[in-house]
Amino acid sequence: MPERIENRMVVDSEWEYAGKPVHQCQICSSNIYSGDDFYNFNGDIVCDSCGWEYVRENFRQTAE
């Protein structure tokens, strides 16, 4: 029979607590936590993964 660990500090020691989200990405709606990288484009909060998508959608221009 496997040994049962009752001490919650030992059992939960590998879980990382991220806390409450600080921001939410306006493109993918993922939570942004303290310590995460993100972009703030004049108040538009975008996670690190969606940064280039935001730039392509909002700043792309065609030369004429």
Side-chain angles (χ1 to χ4, degrees):
M1 184 163 151
E3 183 180 342
R4 204 178 145 113
I5 300 174
E6 297 294 333
N7 185 338
R8 296 308 306 168
M9 288 182 69
V10 173
V11 173
D12 293 339
S13 65
E14 293 182 22
W15 292 89
E16 185 175 320
Y17 179 70
K20 291 183 179 180
V22 178
H23 298 289
Q24 189 173 39
C25 178
Q26 292 182 298
I27 294 178
C28 70
S29 299
S30 66
N31 290 327
I32 300 170
Y33 296 95
S34 179
D36 289 348
D37 292 330
F38 70 96
Y39 298 95
N40 184 341
F41 296 102
N42 295 324
D44 291 342
I45 304 299
V46 180
C47 73
D48 197 36
S49 300
C50 295
W52 283 113
E53 182 179 345
Y54 182 90
V55 169
R56 281 191 297 271
E57 288 178 9
N58 294 284
F59 297 104
R60 178 181 276 170
Q61 298 181 2
T62 302
E64 296 180 23

